[in-house]
Amino acid sequence: MIAETGHYALVLALALAILQSVLPVWGARARDATLMGLASPLAVAQFVLVAISFAALTHAYVTSDFSLLNVVENSHSAKPLVYKFSGVWGNHEGSLLLWVLILVLFGALVAVFGRNLPQRLKADVLGVQAMISTAFLLFVLVTSNPFARVAPAPIEGQDLNPLLQDPGLAIHPPLLYLGYVGFSMAFSFAVAALIEGKIDAAWARWVRPWTLTAWGFLTLGIAMGSYWAYYELGWGGFWFWDPVENASLMPWLSGTALLHSAVVMEKREALKVWTILLALLTFALSLLGTFLVRSGVLTSVHAFAVDPARGVAILIILTVFVGGSLTLYALRAPALKQGGVFSPVSREGALVVNNIFLTAATAAVFVGTLYPLALEAATGEKISVGPPFFNSTFGPIMLPLMLIMPFGPLLAWKRGDIGRAARGLVAAFGIAIVATCLVAGFVRGGPTLAPIGIGIGLFAICGAFAEIVERTKLFRAPAADSLARLKGLPTSSWGAAFAHAGMGVTLIGVVAASAWSSEKVVALKPGETVALSGFELTFDGLRERPGPNYASSVAHLTVREGGRVVATVEPARRIYRARRMDLAESGIATFGLSQLYAATAEARTDGATGLRLQYKPLVLLIWLGAVVMAFGATLSLADRRLRVGAPRKAAARPAPALQPAE
């Protein structure tokens, strides 16, 4: 009965979504306050119904209700409780329901917290958001019903894919979807603005918190997925340029460009047409990622292997919303005023350069990801585009951006002074030069240009806080004066600084882990020792360790440095009984920001155990940088100015009337 309640709640949510997509928009055209006022209660009610449906599916997983086909195919009674919860979204149907839940959640948040929005704009925004939820609710009910029954109900389920039975995969999809789906709000605001034909600084101020929220969650989601791949898949890499990885990176890049473009629009009412286009394209790339994961066109550990018919349905949704919004854009954009004029050397100019590099990076990833699919569809020829292509295109685009990035905040709006900005970065540049020389002089091995990469990363970190140093007159004014200025800084200034610094932190981690990592693939018998990067690893033997739904063979390694035991590493191989799937589990020892990584290979007949051993210096900086970036987004969201709307321009005072002479 609970499952039927969840199913019927989805049907009712679809009915409300249809009403919400029609009545408020119609009311906005007719200037009917009653119809426009329906948008908020309909959005909240729709969220409540989808939440009830999601809770019903979660209940089925937690109680192992094997009368539902979805639970049979993706759960098992012996599975740990945490993976019963994560199993809800560890499959096509359940993850789509989570997608819809987050979609209607954002609509409900706008309904509740968007009190400062003009009534017409709010009605249009929630109407467009409801159009998206209508499409996906219809898709779930018609093609991907998570509440489909199976009769007779089996005694036991088939278990969840062992790769997904991991804490990282319990967290990664919700974070990723909060980012993916969160960009739907920027899309809805953009379409609503095009419908109204009015785009100004207030619009940019209203749309920026939702974009920041989505960007922050997507940053964490990508980082979590990267770390999961690093320790779970047994190859020790943090990014493989897999098409599904790229599908999350593309909206992150375009969303970053959107954030910076919206700042220009908010401060100077410039780049209006470009900002609207970025809002449309960012969500289009999110929909593209949804299509790639679920269409069956990709073979990836990240993808849901589903039938092509569902992929066609998602492609239709993608075509309707992207094609429709771009058509509306083509009709409305020529009538929009471009806004303020600015010098190429200005903060606006720096943000435009930022947008150019980010857009070029997005295009490079887009071409490398989709060209093989398009070529195969057109000619039947299969080609592989892998890391060499992306490393040779994406890297040369992003590294200059890292060098330019610190200059932007130091330039004045409208017309800046590049010399003054450069003087503000002298200390950052000096630190970067010294660090580059030290790394080149003392670190052996690795690519010749690797020390320069470290220097660029440090320049980005130090340069990120140069604006704060300038604004507080640190070291140039009395300490009390600087402290007072520091307290008066808006949190968004700190947010931008931390977000930019996080990019530098990640760059240092990528360069160090890629350039100076060491690796050995060995076969060891109990008691044998191997040296790696100053450590001695002694293989103590294999131990059997049963799990709740798997059997595990654990290789125990004792790690010594200078003859002293400093850690133990336990890579393992698990055999999941229900799926009869053999899976490697890496063992990791952490030393500061560096890690010693071990993974087992297939069993050998000579009594030795195959091991893949790696030392990754500063590898944790890769993911720490992402956390710093998300922290920066949180600080920016805490800025009160993002909650009160853009200030209105004061109306010009009428000239005083002439008094008749007496």
Side-chain angles (χ1 to χ4, degrees):
M1 185 62 188
I2 292 178
E4 279 68 30
T5 300
H7 189 195
Y8 293 142
L10 279 184
V11 175
L12 289 174
L14 174 61
L16 293 185
I18 294 171
L19 291 175
Q20 184 184 331
S21 62
V22 174
L23 297 181
V25 178
W26 183 9
R29 307 286 74 73
R31 299 187 181 277
D32 187 325
T34 302
L35 291 178
M36 288 189 286
L38 290 174
S40 293
L42 284 173
V44 173
Q46 190 187 162
F47 166 69
V48 171
L49 287 170
V50 176
I52 289 171
S53 179
F54 190 81
L57 184 61
T58 303
H59 177 269
Y61 268 85
V62 171
T63 59
S64 297
D65 181 0
F66 296 123
S67 67
L68 291 185
L69 179 61
N70 185 261
V71 180
V72 172
E73 293 177 342
N74 298 283
S75 192
H76 191 279
S77 60
K79 189 171 63 173
L81 182 60
V82 62
Y83 302 135
K84 290 183 179 181
F85 278 104
S86 64
V88 176
W89 54 80
N91 58 88
H92 169 75
E93 292 82 2
S95 66
L96 259 181
L97 187 57
L98 176 64
W99 210 100
V100 175
L101 177 65
I102 294 173
L103 183 69
V104 297
L105 169 63
F106 274 96
L109 289 175
V110 170
V112 174
F113 296 107
R115 303 184 190 93
N116 61 330
L117 289 173
Q119 190 177 30
R120 281 177 58 118
L121 178 62
K122 185 176 182 180
D124 285 333
V125 168
L126 292 178
V128 174
Q129 191 78 356
M131 293 175 194
I132 303 170
S133 61
T134 297
F136 278 93
L137 281 167
L138 194 61
F139 176 73
V140 169
L141 288 168
V142 174
T143 72
S144 310
N145 181 13
F147 298 104
R149 293 284 191 180
V150 58
I155 297 175
E156 194 53 85
Q158 299 171 13
D159 207 357
L160 180 66
N161 184 341
L163 283 171
L164 305 182
Q165 295 189 39
D166 180 87
L169 259 291
I171 303 169
H172 166 60
L175 289 175
L176 203 64
Y177 286 7
L178 283 164
Y180 263 159
V181 184
F183 284 126
S184 67
M185 287 314 311
F187 176 88
S188 296
F189 269 94
V191 173
L194 290 171
I195 293 172
E196 289 291 317
K198 181 182 178 182
I199 304 172
D200 53 17
W203 179 90
R205 180 70 61 86
W206 288 319
V207 79
R208 202 148 66 92
W210 305 104
T211 307
L212 262 173
T213 301
W215 184 87
F217 279 119
L218 187 57
T219 301
L220 292 175
I222 292 173
M224 188 69 256
S226 168
Y227 191 64
W228 168 80
Y230 165 73
Y231 70 78
E232 179 68 20
L233 299 184
W235 57 284
F238 51 86
W239 196 261
F240 194 63
W241 295 107
D242 181 282
V244 179
E245 290 177 328
N246 297 346
S248 62
L249 179 62
M250 287 187 286
W252 185 87
L253 291 168
S254 60
T256 306
L258 172 60
L259 279 174
H260 291 85
S261 182
V263 171
V264 177
M265 186 173 165
E266 178 188 334
K267 299 292 185 182
R268 299 278 299 134
E269 293 203 25
L271 304 183
K272 292 180 180 180
V273 175
W274 176 241
T275 304
I276 291 291
L277 181 60
L278 279 175
L280 300 179
L281 292 181
T282 299
F283 184 57
L285 291 171
S286 295
L287 289 177
L288 177 65
T290 304
F291 168 73
L292 291 176
V293 172
R294 303 168 193 284
S295 62
V297 300
L298 296 177
T299 301
S300 166
V301 68
H302 305 81
F304 294 105
V306 298
D307 61 275
R310 290 173 175 174
V312 171
I314 296 178
L315 186 59
I316 292 172
I317 295 173
L318 175 65
T319 303
V320 168
F321 283 100
V322 177
S325 62
L326 291 179
T327 300
L328 180 61
Y329 174 82
L331 294 173
R332 292 285 198 175
L336 298 176
K337 294 181 180 180
Q338 285 298 326
V341 178
F342 52 87
S343 167
V345 180
S346 62
R347 189 173 298 193
E348 298 97 319
L351 291 172
V352 168
V353 173
N354 161 286
N355 268 224
I356 291 171
F357 276 100
L358 287 170
T359 305
T362 306
V365 179
F366 182 87
V367 171
T369 302
L370 293 188
Y371 176 72
L373 302 178
L375 183 66
E376 183 179 354
T379 66
E381 180 183 355
K382 292 186 177 183
I383 65 169
S384 175
V385 176
F389 168 81
F390 292 105
N391 292 338
S392 61
T393 55
F394 185 80
I397 293 172
M398 293 301 290
L399 284 178
L401 176 61
M402 299 289 289
L403 284 170
I404 296 169
M405 188 170 64
F407 284 87
L410 293 172
L411 293 171
W413 293 103
K414 194 173 182 179
R415 183 178 297 277
D417 184 345
I418 190 69
R420 182 177 179 181
R423 288 192 293 273
L425 292 170
V426 167
F429 186 71
I431 292 172
I433 291 294
V434 170
T436 300
C437 294
L438 289 175
V439 172
F442 291 97
V443 179
R444 301 302 178 200
T448 306
L449 297 179
I452 297 177
I454 299 294
I456 293 174
L458 277 172
F459 178 68
I461 294 170
C462 298
F465 295 95
E467 185 204 13
I468 291 177
V469 172
E470 286 292 311
R471 292 179 65 173
T472 58
K473 295 185 178 182
L474 196 63
F475 309 122
R476 293 184 290 114
D481 187 23
S482 294
L483 184 60
R485 289 172 177 269
L486 200 63
K487 291 180 179 179
L489 281 179
T491 56
S492 60
S493 296
W494 287 103
F498 276 101
H500 290 171
M503 289 283 291
V505 172
T506 293
L507 176 61
I508 293 174
V510 169
V511 171
S514 301
W516 298 298
S517 65
S518 53
E519 178 180 357
K520 284 187 178 181
V521 179
V522 296
L524 299 179
K525 294 181 179 179
E528 292 184 336
T529 299
V530 62
L532 179 70
S533 296
F535 297 98
E536 298 86 36
L537 289 87
T538 302
F539 177 48
D540 301 315
L542 294 174
R543 302 173 183 177
E544 298 302 318
R545 187 178 297 168
N549 59 338
Y550 59 82
S552 179
S553 179
V554 181
H556 190 275
L557 294 162
T558 301
V559 182
R560 293 179 174 84
E561 185 178 22
R564 181 173 58 90
V565 175
V566 292
T568 58
V569 181
E570 294 187 328
R573 296 200 74 85
R574 294 178 179 177
I575 299 178
Y576 286 79
R577 290 185 286 270
R579 294 221 174 194
R580 297 180 182 177
M581 184 174 174
D582 186 6
L583 183 67
E585 289 286 323
S586 61
I588 297 176
T590 300
F591 302 94
L593 295 170
S594 305
Q595 289 190 329
L596 190 64
Y597 180 100
T600 58
E602 298 291 337
R604 295 165 56 99
T605 58
D606 60 357
T609 298
L611 294 166
R612 180 191 185 112
L613 308 173
Q614 299 178 38
Y615 179 70
K616 299 280 188 180
L618 303 182
V619 68
L620 289 180
L621 287 180
I622 296 172
W623 304 291
L624 178 61
V627 174
V628 173
M629 283 185 259
F631 176 66
T634 304
L635 287 178
S636 294
L637 280 170
D639 195 321
R640 181 178 175 274
R641 294 175 301 172
L642 290 184
R643 299 192 295 274
V644 298
R648 296 180 179 179
K649 294 180 179 179
R653 293 183 179 179
L658 294 176
Q659 299 295 327
E662 295 182 358

